Amino acid sequence: MLIKKPEDIKGSEITDENLYHNRRKFIRGAVLAGSALATGFIYRKLAVPSREKAPADAVARAGSYLTAEGEPSNDFEDIANYNNFYEFSTSKSGVAPRAKGFVTRPWAIEVDGLVHKPKTFDLDDLLKIAPLEDRVYRLRCVEAWSMVIPWLGFPLAKLLEQVQPMGEATFVKFFTLFDPARMPNQIEDVLPWPYVEGLRLDEAMHPLTILASGLYGKTLPPQNGAPLRLVVPWKYGFKSIKSIVKITLTNRQPNTTWGDYAPNEYGFYSNVNPNVSHPRWSQATERRIGEFGQRDTILFNGYGDQVAHLYKGMDLGKYY
Ligand SMILES: Nc1nc2c(c(=O)[nH]1)N[C@H]1C(S)=C(S)[C@@H](COP(=O)(O)O)O[C@H]1N2
Ligand SMILES: [Mo]
């Protein structure tokens, strides 16, 4: 059996011959080029993954993508049918049917502001900026549920390097498409449109921060933010803005949609933190979709060893 639940994987089994060969088989199916961070300890204890691309039918199935800690990905069906994407619907199961047929070509992302080389990239340029990598990340929603999602994407840093940020640039602002003819819930004023988000420039440049164009090795479904969405795995899910059309570098902390809507509930940083409650509920535990019961929420969603240094000297309780 190739797939084991994480609690079944003992240290001694990780280097087991069979597992070694089986794992290499599916690693080959994944596009892992240059993804030292994505590969995690199980892979690191094995061999350097092959960079060969597998035929489409060999692409790994549900469950064969694991986080660095050995947690299995959620099923594709869960990831593609339990969504927050208010431009289409405020009901999680209502997003996928209403996003069906959303047209993502042509598509362009304009990158401007405090950069030496502002540029509008079309989707084909964007997908050629860097090799696409599988990144199996936990996604922790501020609503206290979580999933494991095998994204396909590339570091946002690779795009930002192309436009050459100026020395004064300290923040990055992101904008979702505003087009009520294509995003039907934008005729409702449930949120101020377009949806906007922001990161500090060093957060945006962090190697864990990616632009995702796919999941499970395939093109991103519209309900997950096609054609290109941000993924910042150590922050609450609402920071990971979908269907981006514009990125602006600035020297001021940008406003954010949820921050404008309820400033005392959704801070700019919104790093996952079990010790700081949302004003209306605890963040100490979470429900992993597809599991019974609750799990403990981990500071920085478990990515603290890689990101805690970004917040040295900051009062994490204050910057919710
Ligand atoms: N433009 C836009 N981006 C968005 C949202 C949204 O409503 N609109 N919802 C956010 C929230 S709250 C979460 S939890 C994640 C959900 O991503 P998923 O549906 O791909 O799991 O998307 C985030 N990005
Ligand atoms: Mo969320």
Side-chain angles (χ1 to χ4, degrees):
M1 181 55 198
L2 170 62
I3 304 312
K4 300 192 167 202
K5 294 205 218 90
E7 58 270 54
D8 298 338
I9 298 177
K10 297 189 196 74
S12 60
E13 288 185 310
I14 287 168
T15 47
D16 174 88
E17 273 281 284
N18 262 326
L19 193 57
Y20 175 90
H21 289 295
N22 284 332
R23 254 182 226 293
R24 278 194 59 90
K25 236 181 258 166
F26 82 76
I27 287 169
R28 229 191 282 275
V31 188
L32 281 162
S35 58
L37 279 163
T39 49
F41 82 96
I42 290 178
Y43 299 152
R44 259 184 265 132
K45 283 188 179 170
L46 303 175
V48 177
S50 161
R51 292 179 184 226
E52 233 173 88
K53 244 196 117 184
D57 64 356
V59 167
R61 303 174 316 277
S64 37
Y65 287 87
L66 306 175
T67 64
E69 291 73 25
E71 298 159 273
S73 291
N74 277 86
D75 292 344
F76 179 85
E77 290 305 312
D78 286 342
I79 297 169
N81 291 290
Y82 187 86
N83 302 104
N84 275 331
F85 201 169
Y86 278 25
E87 285 85 341
F88 291 100
S89 174
T90 53
S91 136
K92 287 180 177 55
S93 58
V95 174
R98 296 190 80 184
K100 202 175 174 199
F102 177 64
V103 175
T104 57
R105 277 176 194 268
W107 193 276
I109 299 184
E110 183 186 359
V111 189
D112 68 3
L114 300 176
V115 297
H116 291 291
K117 297 195 162 170
K119 186 178 167 181
T120 298
F121 296 83
D122 72 35
L123 191 56
D124 298 315
D125 297 340
L126 288 163
L127 299 180
K128 276 185 239 145
I129 282 178
L132 297 177
E133 306 167 23
D134 285 303
R135 296 288 185 99
V136 189
Y137 286 161
R138 290 174 290 279
L139 175 94
R140 171 54 160 87
C141 178
V142 73
E143 299 163 328
W145 53 266
S146 65
M147 291 201 214
V148 173
I149 305 184
W151 302 110
L152 186 64
F154 63 92
L156 173 63
K158 299 283 182 199
L159 171 60
L160 296 178
E161 280 159 17
Q162 296 226 342
V163 295
Q164 298 179 13
M166 292 177 179
E168 311 93 273
T170 44
F171 290 93
V172 186
K173 183 171 181 178
F174 304 85
F175 301 73
T176 292
L177 175 70
F178 179 71
D179 185 351
R182 292 158 70 197
M183 294 183 149
N185 211 40
Q186 285 178 333
I187 61 168
E188 305 291 341
D189 57 5
V190 285
L191 284 178
W193 310 114
Y195 193 103
V196 290
E197 255 304 336
L199 293 173
R200 233 169 45 193
L201 182 60
D202 58 347
E203 297 176 322
M205 296 295 287
H206 191 282
L208 284 175
T209 303
I210 59 167
L211 288 173
S213 63
L215 58 83
Y216 269 114
K218 289 184 287 199
T219 303
L220 201 61
Q223 59 269 34
N224 294 98
L228 215 55
R229 61 90 59 85
L230 184 70
V231 181
V232 194
W234 69 94
K235 294 181 178 281
Y236 291 119
F238 66 86
K239 299 293 294 180
S240 292
I241 182 174
K242 295 176 167 182
S243 304
I244 297 166
V245 291
K246 185 173 156 77
I247 299 176
T248 300
L249 283 87
T250 104
N251 56 8
R252 295 208 329 238
Q253 183 177 304
N255 69 306
T256 64
T257 292
W258 282 101
D260 292 346
Y261 179 80
N264 61 325
E265 298 195 3
Y266 309 101
F268 179 78
Y269 282 91
S270 286
N271 292 316
V272 174
N273 189 341
N275 309 311
V276 179
S277 296
H278 183 278
R280 291 183 283 128
W281 58 83
S282 164
Q283 296 290 25
T285 63
E286 66 200 57
R287 181 171 64 95
R288 175 69 50 84
I289 301 302
E291 284 182 4
F292 296 105
Q294 296 280 310
R295 307 181 157 236
D296 288 339
T297 287
I298 311 169
L299 183 61
F300 296 119
N301 205 21
Y303 300 97
D305 56 339
Q306 294 164 78
V307 302
H309 70 274
L310 296 171
Y311 310 105
K312 269 217 182 82
M314 267 177 67
D315 177 353
L316 292 175
K318 193 170 155 211
Y319 294 90
Y320 181 70

